[in-house]
Amino acid sequence: MDWDAMRSRFHLPEGLIYLDGNSLGPLPAGTSERVRRVIEEEWGDLLIRGWNDGADGAGWMDWSARLGDRIGRLIGAPAGSVSVGDTLSIKVHQALSAALQMRPDRRVILSDEGNFPSDLYMAEGLIASLDRGHELRVVPPDAVADAIDDDVAVVMLTQVDYRTGRMHDMADLTARAHAAGALAVWDLAHSAGAHEVDVTAAGADFAVGCTYKYLNAGPGAPAFIHVRPDLIDAVRPALSGWLGHAAPFAFEQDYRPGEGIARMRVGTPPVLQLAALEAALDIWDEVDMAALRARSLELSERFAKAVAARCPDLTPALPSDVPRGSQVSFRHPKGYAIVQALIARGVIGDFRAPDILRFGLTPLYLGEAEVDAAVEHLAAVLERREWDDPRFRARRGVT
Ligand SMILES: *Cc1c(COP(=O)(O)O)cnc(C)c1O
């Protein structure tokens, strides 16, 4: 892979070191033009005709499936098994509700403390609305394997812990879930575009993820859902919107699920944001995921080693031998203020309560020079106690 050529395909502000692509990926160079064309030539000139006939021949109505197939390549999902739309929280609800309905005699949803709160909140809300005595059981990450028993209906996990970066073994835990008669729902929010993923080899029953993090589709970009092809016909969608209907434009009174993955659609897709996703995927089509993973580990190790040497006050969030995604995290009681002081120096990372400093190492647009410079800035913030300033302590709404 020619990483320098890759980097030229992104717009990054001059002088800024961006270590937060795990939260919001940067702007691909082709996005503005692609979105402008859809706005002016398609929305502007085609108007309602755009749903059937986009300017390049493909109507907007088909984009959810078409872009789903392109995401499929990044997660090892076959064509026709991924649909794009809605937000990740909605996709979690869809996967979980479908899985629970396939295990009507079981009552436990098993998850871990490393899961993202929205996934756990969606499970709580679903349990309350079903009102059938389900239980959300949340255990420490390393206790998941042993907690899978015959009561478990669904193992619902985020593969890469959003705080620490710890990576679960998707194939192993899915096999354990299946051996116990349970289903596995995997959240790939910090996996898709971060490292190689093979939902097919792992046997994952459902997989969901978002496109605004590593995939670089922009703020508020839609999520995706994959359903194992041999299960999809058994999925009875809880969110039975008209675009998941077998014949939306027949306007029948009663719901009939659409063919295959189409039934995971809910309502009208966000066309402008899909255009941005399409431009982002033009880059991903050229990425060798094995090479990306190797490069990500190289940069992560370089960063972790240098921080250990230069910033002894920061505690690694994970032991070095634990598999991780494409981020490196540390703990410090003043984590929030340290990250703010670092941002004031033009190095953007982020903070996750209660004490995690989180840095995304994304090879598409980062190299050794940025990694080394970021460590120097971090060391300076700590050595000079730059964080100890009232302006870095006031918490903003988004951390
Ligand atoms: C980022 C993230 C979300 C966010 O969900 P949205 O509905 O897109 O806001 C959910 N789950 C996980 C695991 C995440 O990392």
Side-chain angles (χ1 to χ4, degrees):
M1 293 281 310
D2 181 346
W3 298 112
D4 287 334
M6 267 297 159
R7 155 200 232 104
S8 70
R9 304 199 41 186
F10 290 90
H11 167 83
L12 285 161
E14 195 65 38
L16 192 81
I17 299 178
Y18 195 62
L19 307 181
D20 213 2
N22 51 307
S23 214
L24 175 66
L27 173 66
T31 300
S32 305
E33 173 58 15
R34 179 77 188 110
V35 174
R36 186 198 65 75
R37 273 181 31 227
V38 172
I39 290 177
E40 295 179 7
E41 295 167 20
E42 302 198 14
W43 177 18
D45 292 338
L46 294 175
L47 285 157
I48 193 86
R49 294 171 290 183
W51 288 110
N52 284 324
D53 308 302
D56 62 359
W60 302 328
M61 202 50 95
D62 298 333
W63 287 10
S64 299
R66 195 162 55 105
L67 299 184
D69 285 347
R70 286 173 76 183
I71 290 171
R73 189 188 74 84
L74 303 176
I75 61 167
S81 72
V82 179
S83 178
V84 178
D86 315 300
T87 71
L88 179 49
S89 304
I90 298 288
K91 295 294 154 199
V92 167
H93 183 283
Q94 287 186 299
L96 193 56
S97 54
L100 286 182
Q101 183 229 330
M102 290 175 185
R103 290 293 178 273
D105 300 331
R106 297 186 176 207
R107 289 288 174 270
V108 174
I109 300 167
L110 178 67
S111 192
D112 76 353
E113 292 164 358
N115 207 344
F116 190 76
S118 197
D119 298 40
L120 302 175
Y121 300 161
M122 293 308 283
E124 279 182 39
L126 179 60
I127 287 170
S129 62
L130 288 173
D131 198 18
R132 285 182 15 227
H134 286 97
E135 173 200 342
L136 175 61
R137 198 173 285 169
V138 181
V139 302
D142 54 10
V144 171
D146 290 336
I148 301 174
D149 60 24
D150 293 351
D151 297 331
V152 174
V154 185
V155 178
M156 177 189 78
L157 295 167
T158 295
Q159 188 191 13
V160 174
D161 185 316
Y162 74 104
R163 281 201 199 92
T164 63
R166 178 195 162 107
M167 192 196 294
H168 278 304
D169 184 334
M170 184 158 67
D172 176 59
L173 290 175
T174 301
R176 287 171 189 265
H178 290 168
L183 291 168
V185 172
W186 287 98
D187 190 326
L188 305 177
H190 298 275
S191 304
H195 53 84
E196 295 161 286
V197 178
D198 195 335
V199 291
T200 302
D205 301 297
F206 296 85
V208 295
C210 51
T211 63
Y212 52 78
K213 292 172 181 162
Y214 289 94
L215 294 184
N216 312 315
F224 64 85
I225 184 166
H226 157 77
V227 182
R228 221 177 77 194
D230 58 316
L231 289 183
I232 188 66
D233 290 341
V235 169
R236 170 91 207 165
L239 301 178
S240 40
W242 74 304
L243 287 189
H245 190 279
F249 285 86
F251 297 106
E252 294 168 9
Q253 175 158 325
D254 299 322
Y255 181 78
R256 282 191 294 131
E259 189 66 31
I261 197 69
R263 72 185 58 186
M264 302 320 282
R265 299 178 67 157
V266 183
T268 304
V271 173
L272 302 183
Q273 200 80 61
L274 287 174
L277 171 59
E278 185 176 41
L281 290 172
D282 286 346
I283 297 178
W284 282 107
D285 284 350
E286 293 168 32
V287 176
D288 173 339
M289 293 306 289
L292 178 93
R293 175 62 170 165
R295 179 85 175 136
S296 154
L297 288 177
E298 203 174 280
L299 294 176
S300 300
E301 271 157 39
R302 186 182 184 97
F303 184 67
K305 271 200 190 125
V307 171
R310 301 276 285 109
C311 313
D313 292 347
L314 297 181
T315 310
L318 277 184
S320 60
D321 58 342
V322 173
R324 68 166 144 234
S326 199
Q327 68 179 69
V328 179
S329 300
F330 305 93
R331 294 183 189 278
H332 191 288
K334 301 292 179 198
Y336 181 78
I338 294 169
V339 169
Q340 292 308 307
L342 197 58
I343 292 172
R345 281 174 164 267
V347 180
I348 300 191
D350 66 18
F351 170 78
R352 286 295 174 261
D355 61 353
I356 294 270
L357 300 85
R358 184 172 74 156
F359 302 98
L361 282 304
T362 46
L364 296 193
Y365 46 88
L366 288 174
E368 281 84 359
E370 285 84 9
V371 168
D372 294 350
V375 176
E376 289 313 307
H377 283 293
L378 186 54
V381 164
L382 288 159
E383 277 158 19
R384 302 178 195 178
R385 293 178 66 89
E386 285 175 5
W387 52 268
D388 195 6
D389 180 319
R391 80 195 154 108
F392 296 140
R393 261 177 254 139
R395 294 239 180 141
R396 316 261 337 253
V398 175
T399 64

